[in-house]
Amino acid sequence: MFTYTLDNKRYHTLNYHVKTKYNTKVVKVSLNAGFTCPNIDGTAGFGGCIYCSKTGSGEFGGDISKTLPEQFFEIKEKDLVTQFNEVKEMMLKKWPKAKYIGYFQARTNTYAPVHILKEKYESVLNLEDVIGIAIATRCDAITDEALDYLTELNKKTNLTIELGLQTIHEKTSKLINRCHSLKQFEIMLKKLQERNIEVVVHIINGLPYETKEMMIETVKYLNKLNIDGIKIHMLNITKNTPLETLYKEKPFHVLTKEEYIDIVISQLEYLNPKIVIHRITADPDPKDLIEPNWLLKKFCVLNDIDKEMAKRNTYQGIKIDEQS
């Protein structure tokens, strides 16, 4: 059996990581703190990444539509607390003794003055049974002042920074309007690692015109950077995004489920077994999804990955020695 699993999977599961680290059930609660993004307001670019949904890729974050004021940074503490408690109330029925991690998911969650970050993060950290927070952000949106604050926060609680990268390929990065360089990513990753802050990196498979080889190259690159975890997403084309327009005007190939599974398994084979796989597919909003429809059957995708890995008798890290 693969070392880093409790349920016969052949990759380092988040379930294994959480249970061995915390020795209890831990629930991750997605939150929408109302942040914007430097790729939206003109600091880095306009319009955001071409795949970014109206929720800022936070489909399962809290609903702030009824309380969102004109200025994002004016969202009051009670709104995040309300979001959190709504989820906690449901989870208590299933896991009455669970602990919680607040997941600041939507848009760029370090993109604000430090006093605003402190107010938002600590409003969640002060809640009962919360043992840490995870913060989704961009490499170009963490100031030195914010980095100092995160360093102090990391000494007090379980902190994870989730950095969006998506691809290492410059041509693709420009196409999807990321508006930051690979060098910027490398610099910020190093700064976070020097401060012993856990880093999880997001990548997307199926980006327009990328080949299987290109997607594997992204993973090989990350494997050499000593990251703590990775989230592997499948590109989903959603309504009212620039990606939808591109797809309709210049159709590109959307990976089939079989192609996606093959690519994911190949990527896992090049990842150090100690790297935690935090996500291995995507959770699109069914109301907004255009393609691919097979993503809506999440557990079928997960099960088919398991079956195919067993069929191939392969596992995470089996091909590391092949890397140059």
Side-chain angles (χ1 to χ4, degrees), residues 261-285:
I261 289 170
D262 175 60
I263 290 167
V264 166
I265 292 173
S266 297
Q267 290 172 319
L268 292 174
E269 290 174 334
Y270 286 103
L271 279 175
N272 188 313
K274 292 184 179 180
I275 295 175
V276 182
I277 311 302
H278 285 247
R279 181 177 287 279
I280 206 167
T281 185
D283 278 319
D285 187 334

Side-chain angles (χ1 to χ4, degrees), residues 100-141:
Y100 298 87
I101 290 176
Y103 178 28
F104 289 78
Q105 181 182 20
R107 302 201 192 279
T108 306
N109 293 276
T110 56
Y111 191 50
V114 167
H115 72 277
I116 297 293
L117 301 181
K118 184 174 182 179
E119 177 185 345
K120 292 180 183 294
Y121 299 164
E122 296 185 16
S123 70
V124 175
L125 282 168
N126 288 334
L127 297 175
E128 186 178 4
D129 293 324
V130 173
I131 59 173
I133 58 173
I135 302 168
T137 189
R138 289 165 54 99
C139 62
D140 59 348

Side-chain angles (χ1 to χ4, degrees), residues 47-138:
C49 299
I50 66 172
Y51 51 77
C52 197
S53 65
K54 61 178 180 284
T55 62
S57 297
E59 280 71 20
F60 297 95
D63 180 8
I64 60 172
S65 59
K66 296 180 181 179
T67 56
L68 182 63
E70 292 182 1
Q71 298 297 322
F72 283 127
F73 295 159
E74 293 177 5
I75 292 178
K76 302 303 180 183
E77 175 179 316
K78 67 178 181 181
D79 298 320
L80 279 172
V81 173
T82 299
Q83 290 178 42
F84 182 91
N85 285 334
E86 286 175 350
V87 177
K88 182 178 180 181
E89 187 175 343
M90 292 187 293
M91 294 300 104
L92 280 172
K93 298 174 183 178
K94 189 172 183 180
W95 298 296
K97 296 182 180 181
K99 302 298 181 182
Y100 298 87
I101 290 176
Y103 178 28
F104 289 78
Q105 181 182 20
R107 302 201 192 279
T108 306
N109 293 276
T110 56
Y111 191 50
V114 167
H115 72 277
I116 297 293
L117 301 181
K118 184 174 182 179
E119 177 185 345
K120 292 180 183 294
Y121 299 164
E122 296 185 16
S123 70
V124 175
L125 282 168
N126 288 334
L127 297 175
E128 186 178 4
D129 293 324
V130 173
I131 59 173
I133 58 173
I135 302 168
T137 189
R138 289 165 54 99

Side-chain angles (χ1 to χ4, degrees), residues 20-35:
T20 53
K21 182 175 182 178
Y22 301 111
N23 197 32
T24 188
K25 176 65 181 178
V26 177
V27 177
K28 199 172 183 181
V29 179
S30 294
L31 301 167
N32 187 337
F35 291 107

Side-chain angles (χ1 to χ4, degrees), residues 304-322:
D304 286 351
I305 289 173
D306 293 340
K307 291 176 184 177
E308 186 63 21
M309 292 189 80
K311 181 180 178 182
R312 299 184 190 184
N313 192 27
T314 191
Y315 52 86
Q316 182 179 340
I318 194 173
K319 292 185 178 179
I320 288 179
D321 291 340
E322 295 180 16

